[in-house]
Amino acid sequence: MYRTIRVVFQFFFLGAFSLVSFSQGHEIKVKVEGYTQKSLILAYQLGNKTYVQDTAVADNAGVFVFNGKEPLKPGMYIIAEPPAKELLTILCDERNQRFAVKTTFKEPVKNAVFTGSVENKDFNSYVQFIVNQRSKATDLNSKKEDPAANAVDIAAIDKKLNELDLAVNQYQKNFISKHPGSFTSLIIKANTDPVPPVFSGTAEEKNRQLLYWTRAHLFDNINLAEEKLLRTPFFASKVDYYIDKLTVQQPDSIIQAIDRVISLARASKPNLQFFLTDLLNKYAKSTIIGMDAVYVHIALTYYDKGMADWIQQENLDKILTNARALEPTLIGKIAPDFGLSDANNQLIRLYDFKAPLTILFFWSHESDGCRKTAGSVLRVADRFKDKGVRVLTINCADLPAGIEAGKAFITQNKLESLTNLSGTLKIGSIKSQYNIRKTPQLFVLGKNKKILFKNLSGEQLEEQINYFVNLNE
């Protein structure tokens, strides 16, 4: 019961609905009795952000008119008191964007009366039904939580809650059956979760089966290529739930989930554009180690294949350049080989440096962060020396003066026991290979020089090395 009513209400800001003809632009007239402000805002939600579409000023009769020669893009729109107090939610699709609504400031949803849209009237009736059912459920739950309620009372309350649940489900089924092509039915269906089968086994096995089933069927009732749903509060959040909650938070699993979302949305260019842009930005900003692999996958699989034709060439070039720079040093790849001179002017090549675990510490002598990280690197090297952990420190200076200053850095930070490398002629290409744009940078490599960790802080280095060593003992 509670799940059904909560699901229904997650898409309502307040509640009203309408349809509009693209060929005629749009005109929405709003009259709010008891409202004293001079302006109203028309806004919409896209993803997790709300954008202002238009602002209307009241005429002499107190009517606010939102109009334009171009149609509004289909979806939910919020009528709000500035700066952000929501009064009503309306819906527009391609068939009708010309209507009027009259209501009161005190109870804008309850008293909303729409003209110019039969479907809007039906939708408003549906909203009122849900509001009433939700109110009844809230009252019953309050009684159920009363300490004085006994087992008989609770059983009676549960029965009434179940009856409310059945009433909501039946109303929704009847509405969809009566109005199969309406925007309202589309929203109701999109917010109705598929019902899983009964699973067998232990509690753990049942939970695992439910997770797999939910992951496979989450989008059964929602079309990710439906542009009408793009500007609704539940659309993007359902995809976020799928990726963030139902998917194992490892790059390979997330990539598989994203590919599924894109395949379901790609029939609609606006929806495809939203998801590709949103997901690329999300993983470009991620601070979770290893998630740059997701960014690289999106960029090289979709942007590099011409699927993001809305983006300017200059920005596309930046995205692809960044992705290609990240690709060689993604976690799981074999680290690029390089050779530099040590303190004795002997050439040391990475692939010739034998160790079960190799730490690469890229540093600059003028960086306070590098001095702090040097202490962590030294502690790890001393603590895990008998476990085969070895360190290569790489001075990122590309001028002779930086090489000399680096010698003082090594002495001051007591790094003489480590293998310290430098070289003005080769360091530029090595920094490019490892995408070193700032220092310090730490990489942890396995026995075959596979990248295990990267972009670690000094504290994280100690934690990860300790975890890895204990795991493999």
Side-chain angles (χ1 to χ4, degrees):
M1 167 64 211
Y2 327 121
R3 180 184 65 80
T4 300
I5 290 181
R6 283 200 301 268
V7 166
V8 168
F9 266 84
Q10 74 179 350
F11 65 81
F12 291 133
F13 294 101
L14 277 170
F17 174 34
S18 71
L19 303 172
V20 180
S21 171
F22 274 8
S23 63
Q24 300 174 353
H26 69 276
E27 182 179 77
I28 302 169
K29 297 180 179 180
V30 183
K31 173 74 172 179
V32 184
E33 299 288 349
Y35 182 67
T36 59
Q37 301 300 317
K38 295 182 178 180
S39 63
L40 281 176
I41 292 172
L42 183 67
Y44 63 89
Q45 185 168 339
L46 184 63
N48 60 5
K49 296 181 180 179
T50 301
Y51 300 88
V52 174
Q53 173 72 32
D54 197 3
T55 300
V57 177
D59 61 17
N60 293 335
V63 177
F64 301 85
V65 182
F66 300 100
N67 59 11
K69 295 180 180 180
E70 297 297 323
L72 293 172
K73 293 181 179 179
M76 284 184 168
Y77 287 81
I78 309 159
I79 297 173
E81 175 188 5
K85 182 179 179 181
E86 299 166 6
L87 300 179
L88 287 172
T89 298
I90 60 174
L91 292 127
C92 301
D93 73 5
E94 64 279 4
R95 296 193 300 269
N96 185 351
Q97 296 195 29
R98 292 181 176 273
F99 59 88
V101 56
K102 182 178 180 179
T103 189
T104 63
F105 182 62
K106 186 176 180 179
E107 294 184 286
V109 179
K110 180 179 179 180
N111 295 321
V113 177
F114 290 84
T115 58
S117 172
V118 173
E119 184 166 12
N120 226 357
K121 295 178 183 178
D122 293 337
F123 179 78
N124 196 56
S125 296
Y126 172 69
V127 171
Q128 291 303 311
F129 172 77
I130 294 300
V131 168
N132 291 336
Q133 297 297 90
R134 186 188 190 194
S135 177
K136 292 177 184 178
T138 300
D139 291 342
L140 288 170
N141 279 308
S142 295
K143 293 177 180 178
K144 186 176 180 179
E145 294 170 1
D146 188 336
N150 56 38
V152 175
D153 296 330
I154 291 175
I157 291 171
D158 284 339
K159 181 180 178 182
K160 291 180 180 180
L161 287 170
N162 185 60
E163 290 171 352
L164 287 177
D165 188 27
L166 293 174
V168 169
N169 289 336
Q170 191 59 51
Y171 189 102
Q172 291 173 330
K173 290 178 181 177
N174 291 342
F175 191 99
I176 293 173
S177 177
K178 187 177 180 180
H179 309 282
S182 72
F183 196 174
T184 309
S185 293
L186 188 68
I187 291 172
I188 293 172
K189 186 176 180 182
N191 282 276
T192 303
D193 292 332
V195 179
V198 177
F199 299 109
S200 60
T202 65
E204 182 179 352
E205 290 170 341
K206 289 178 182 179
N207 287 334
R208 184 168 59 252
Q209 291 174 70
L210 177 60
L211 171 62
Y212 294 158
W213 189 93
T214 303
R215 187 188 297 162
H217 294 275
L218 185 68
F219 303 124
D220 283 2
N221 291 336
I222 184 169
N223 180 5
L224 296 188
E226 175 53 72
E227 188 179 353
K228 293 179 185 179
L229 298 178
L230 181 58
R231 287 168 179 78
T232 61
F234 60 83
F235 190 64
S237 63
K238 187 173 284 274
V239 171
D240 288 341
Y241 176 71
Y242 172 67
I243 294 174
D244 298 338
K245 302 299 183 183
L246 296 182
T247 302
V248 177
Q249 294 302 289
Q250 297 291 338
D252 288 347
S253 297
I254 293 173
I255 285 170
Q256 186 176 12
I258 287 175
D259 286 345
R260 183 185 178 199
V261 169
I262 298 305
S263 69
L264 293 173
R266 66 189 303 168
S268 165
K269 185 172 181 179
N271 294 25
L272 175 66
Q273 179 175 348
F274 169 77
F275 284 122
L276 280 181
T277 303
D278 184 65
L279 291 168
L280 184 80
N281 290 336
K282 175 179 180 177
Y283 290 99
K285 297 174 183 177
S286 177
T287 58
I288 300 175
I289 295 170
M291 290 303 166
D292 52 351
V294 182
Y295 170 87
V296 169
H297 174 80
I298 296 171
L300 299 185
T301 303
Y302 300 107
Y303 282 75
D304 195 30
K305 299 298 189 294
M307 289 183 63
D309 58 1
W310 56 82
I311 194 170
Q312 293 183 352
Q313 188 63 44
E314 180 181 359
N315 293 332
L316 177 62
D317 291 343
K318 290 179 180 178
I319 291 170
L320 297 181
T321 297
N322 187 41
R324 289 168 183 146
L326 289 168
E327 187 180 25
T329 55
L330 294 176
I331 289 176
K333 287 185 173 288
I334 303 299
D337 191 21
F338 63 84
L340 286 172
S341 299
D342 65 7
N344 298 317
N345 205 31
Q346 296 295 311
L347 179 66
I348 304 294
R349 298 206 65 83
L350 173 62
Y351 286 6
D352 294 334
F353 195 73
K354 307 301 181 183
L357 283 178
T358 302
I359 298 171
L360 302 183
F361 173 32
F362 291 88
W363 55 270
S364 301
H365 66 86
E366 69 273 16
S367 167
D368 291 334
C370 289
R371 280 186 278 274
K372 181 179 178 181
T373 301
S376 297
V377 171
L378 187 60
R379 283 193 297 273
V380 169
D382 291 341
R383 179 181 173 186
F384 296 103
K385 185 176 182 180
D386 61 338
K387 303 296 184 181
V389 176
R390 297 292 182 267
V391 178
L392 291 176
T393 85
I394 299 99
N395 182 354
C396 289
D398 54 7
L399 294 173
I403 302 297
E404 290 303 312
K407 294 177 181 178
F409 178 91
I410 291 170
T411 301
Q412 292 165 5
N413 291 282
K414 301 180 173 57
L415 301 178
E416 295 92 341
S417 62
L418 307 181
T419 303
N420 302 297
L421 307 179
S422 61
T424 58
L425 297 179
K426 299 179 181 179
I427 192 63
S429 63
I430 295 171
K431 287 165 65 177
S432 178
Q433 283 180 304
Y434 281 81
N435 197 35
I436 305 298
R437 302 181 185 184
K438 60 180 181 179
T439 55
Q441 290 291 335
L442 293 168
F443 290 77
V444 179
L445 314 180
K447 186 176 181 180
N448 60 353
K449 299 302 182 284
K450 179 186 289 187
I451 299 172
L452 303 177
F453 309 106
K454 67 174 187 175
N455 298 335
L456 301 169
S457 65
E459 293 79 7
Q460 289 173 322
L461 176 67
E462 296 185 68
E463 294 172 2
Q464 295 296 341
I465 294 294
N466 183 60
Y467 169 80
F468 189 84
V469 168
N470 290 335
L471 186 67
N472 288 276
E473 283 187 335

